[in-house]
Amino acid sequence: MGHNHIHTPVTRREFLTKTSLGIGAVSLASLLNPSSLFAATNGPHFVPKAKRIIYLYMAGAPSQLDLFDYKPQLIKRDGQDLPSSVLGDRVTGTVAAQNSLPMVGTRWDFKQHGNSGMWMSDLMPNMSKITDELCKIQSMHTASVQHEPAQMFTNTGSELPGRPSFGSWISYGLGSDNENLPAFIVLKTEGLEGGFSGLYSSAFLPAEHQGVRFRGGKDPVLFLTNPPGVTEAARREQLDYLKKMQEGAFDFWEDPSIKAKMAQYEMAFRMQTSVPEVVDTKGEPDYIYEQYGEDSKKPGTFASNCLLARRLAERGVKFIQVYHGGWDHHSDLPKNIGKRAKEVDQASAALIMDLKQRGLLEDTLVVWGGEFGRTCFSQGQLTKDNFGRDHHPDAYTMLLAGAGVKKGMTYGRTDDFGYHVVENPVHVHDLNATLLHLMGLDHERLTYKFQGRRFRLTDVEGHIVKGILS
């Protein structure tokens, strides 16, 4: 006789009766550890300082030593070999093969700005004007020395693929403030590498928490527009019928992925109206375009994405990630970093001040930075006009502005060579724990059980950086 392969659903009572644990053991487990059965979701754990995050991600790792972390000693000792006592054990194979490691001082002028006297490079003239709004963390350090795992680590808390991204955790923990737009939206500078799909995946979290990418151009979200000949009424009728079928399937199988799929279909239908409205910036006044720069009129540029990020923030989107690639300057750094900085400087500053003028900076947190820093010595040949810098995970800089962080503050310090952190180190897990805290989420309680283990963004680490909190 063959086996019956039709899987009929089992009620909770039947399950508890048939299992060796029984209801008593399960009840005892929940009393001893209430969080063992349910993850804390659907709302903040405490009153948040921030309602949303705009994360400006510089993929490829900008050189902190040429932008933010002023090192006169490197300028003074330009061309001399880095002392062996300073060199750590985490270097790439490329650098290990070099016969010498000549120190290279920045070729740009650094000045102190604002009431705080924050040091900033001439490469960032517009950001230099708003230093009294910024919190500069100069003591970041991270796990990996290579791009892809380091970017995965910053965005998901793991160097390996398969973990939910930061924005997905925010969406899962807090839900959405706008039923017509996703809680997590991703924007990328068109034509530049940076921001591969694994960085905004929901992984094992329900699929509706995945980041939704908005593109520049006629169709911002792929496959959202109805095909020719399909009316809105016909699409609505199709979805209603599909919903009935899926509800029947859920009643039978009780598979949560069915409900996630239903939610995604409904969101896509509502986005057919909401997305064209939000991406159409033609109604913005001229002074806004002037504030963000000429590129803000061209869809898919960093400036245009910053303006769009503000529009999404106004409409209650919880997590907006703006990727700008091209920061990997192993060679020709003087030429390339100037180009990248020019693409982002004006719009980054404009976004922060635009949010402030609208009263949105009070409950919006802006984050600016990449996956790691660059070395204080030259990769390849050092000349008067040219050099490169290799990857450096042990010391780099990130900027914060807005809700809940101190203004005009420089936190942490690196050594005279910008090689090691010597004061107030901040690990990526610490930063992520702090950002979650500002959003009203306890990073140790925001968990999801998968394959027998409770996962979280900060894995089993992370401490809140209280020194930067206002």
Side-chain angles (χ1 to χ4, degrees):
M1 286 188 55
H3 293 286
N4 179 4
H5 291 290
I6 298 174
H7 300 282
T8 54
V10 179
T11 66
R12 185 176 287 125
R13 179 173 298 192
E14 288 171 324
F15 171 76
L16 293 173
T17 302
K18 290 175 182 177
T19 56
S20 58
L21 276 173
I23 196 163
V26 175
S27 298
L28 178 62
S30 64
L31 285 171
L32 292 172
N33 181 13
S35 66
S36 65
L37 294 181
F38 303 101
T41 58
N42 300 324
H45 300 131
F46 42 82
V47 178
K49 292 283 184 73
K51 289 183 180 177
R52 66 199 70 84
I53 291 175
I54 300 175
Y55 204 129
L56 307 178
Y57 198 95
M58 306 297 134
S63 168
Q64 77 285 5
L65 296 169
D66 297 294
L67 296 171
F68 309 118
D69 197 359
Y70 181 47
K71 295 297 168 195
Q73 199 61 227
L74 284 179
I75 299 169
K76 184 178 176 183
R77 300 175 70 167
D78 191 81
Q80 298 177 24
D81 263 14
L82 181 71
S84 57
S85 59
V86 176
L87 188 66
D89 57 1
R90 283 208 295 175
V91 294
T92 63
T94 308
V95 168
Q98 282 189 209
N99 294 325
S100 64
L101 301 175
M103 290 180 280
V104 53
T106 185
R107 300 313 195 237
W108 290 271
D109 288 335
F110 269 75
K111 296 186 183 73
Q112 289 180 281
H113 295 270
N115 296 326
S116 63
M118 187 182 290
W119 286 99
M120 294 283 275
S121 159
D122 284 0
L123 280 168
M124 304 292 272
N126 291 282
M127 291 291 273
S128 295
K129 292 174 187 172
I130 65 161
T131 51
D132 288 339
E133 297 294 335
L134 302 178
C135 178
K136 180 170 69 161
I137 304 175
Q138 288 189 159
S139 51
M140 290 295 305
H141 61 107
T142 188
S144 181
V145 73
Q146 299 298 348
H147 291 292
E148 189 165 314
Q151 289 175 14
M152 290 295 297
F153 194 74
T154 311
N155 283 273
T156 73
S158 169
E159 292 176 75
L160 299 175
R163 298 281 185 90
S165 57
F166 199 140
S168 296
W169 280 113
I170 292 287
S171 173
Y172 168 69
L174 297 175
S176 178
D177 289 345
N178 185 333
E179 65 173 15
N180 298 320
L181 288 169
F184 177 19
I185 291 175
V186 175
L187 308 168
K188 297 188 202 177
T189 304
E190 306 283 348
L192 289 177
E193 287 184 18
F196 56 93
S197 59
L199 302 181
Y200 48 94
S201 165
S202 58
F204 48 73
L205 289 180
E208 67 263 35
H209 302 299
Q210 180 168 312
V212 176
R213 184 179 169 194
F214 280 26
R215 291 162 166 80
K218 197 177 86 171
D219 290 315
V221 180
L222 295 181
F223 314 117
L224 190 65
T225 308
N226 287 331
V230 177
T231 65
E232 185 179 342
R235 176 66 81 196
R236 180 69 266 169
E237 186 181 0
Q238 179 195 42
L239 285 176
D240 289 342
Y241 189 75
L242 190 59
K243 187 177 180 182
K244 283 181 187 175
M245 293 172 63
Q246 288 172 324
E247 283 172 346
F250 180 78
D251 290 342
F252 187 82
W253 296 109
E254 294 186 357
D255 180 355
S257 68
I258 295 172
K259 284 204 165 182
K261 212 170 281 183
M262 288 162 61
Q264 284 181 305
Y265 288 149
E266 289 295 334
M267 172 61 81
F269 180 75
R270 294 193 298 271
M271 283 167 61
Q272 288 183 334
T273 302
S274 62
V275 169
E277 183 272 329
V278 75
V279 300
D280 183 5
T281 64
K282 290 192 182 73
E284 294 284 348
D286 289 342
Y287 81 88
I288 287 292
Y289 288 119
E290 289 167 14
Q291 191 174 342
Y292 282 84
E294 191 62 32
D295 276 356
S296 61
K297 294 179 181 177
K298 304 170 191 169
T301 61
F302 179 80
S304 171
N305 286 339
C306 282
L307 176 54
L308 183 52
R310 187 266 288 162
R311 291 173 64 85
L312 292 168
E314 284 180 304
R315 287 156 178 80
V317 176
K318 288 280 184 195
F319 199 93
I320 304 147
Q321 195 144 26
V322 182
Y323 287 98
H324 186 77
W327 289 95
D328 191 21
H329 300 147
H330 292 274
S331 59
D332 294 324
L333 185 144
K335 178 180 74 176
N336 293 322
I337 198 172
K339 185 178 180 185
R340 293 287 94 90
K342 191 172 182 182
E343 288 165 353
V344 303
D345 170 54
Q346 182 175 348
S348 299
L351 172 62
I352 292 167
M353 297 314 292
D354 193 10
L355 290 168
K356 184 176 182 180
Q357 289 155 10
R358 293 165 192 271
L360 283 166
L361 197 59
E362 295 169 13
D363 55 13
T364 303
L365 189 59
V366 180
V367 185
W368 195 106
E371 63 265 33
F372 42 62
R374 313 300 297 196
T375 54
C376 61
F377 52 81
S378 179
Q379 180 175 356
Q381 188 178 7
L382 170 64
T383 68
K384 184 182 176 184
D385 303 316
N386 203 4
F387 60 91
R389 295 191 192 272
D390 198 25
H391 308 165
H392 189 63
D394 293 335
Y396 64 105
T397 299
M398 291 194 72
L399 307 176
L400 305 177
V405 295
K406 288 179 179 173
K407 297 180 176 186
M409 180 184 204
T410 299
Y411 185 83
R413 191 165 58 86
T414 57
D415 62 18
D416 288 343
F417 307 96
Y419 202 93
H420 298 287
V421 173
V422 294
E423 185 182 289
N424 293 328
V426 178
H427 190 267
V428 167
H429 284 319
D430 300 331
L431 178 66
N432 287 348
T434 307
L435 299 180
L436 287 175
H437 173 80
L438 289 167
M439 291 290 284
L441 294 167
D442 181 341
H443 72 107
E444 293 184 347
R445 289 168 63 194
L446 182 65
T447 63
Y448 190 86
K449 191 171 183 180
F450 176 67
Q451 293 185 340
R453 183 192 157 184
R454 280 169 190 81
F455 287 89
R456 64 185 213 222
L457 175 63
T458 51
D459 198 40
V460 294
E461 299 177 61
H463 298 91
I464 294 165
V465 187
K466 293 178 180 175
I468 67 170
L469 301 181
S470 59

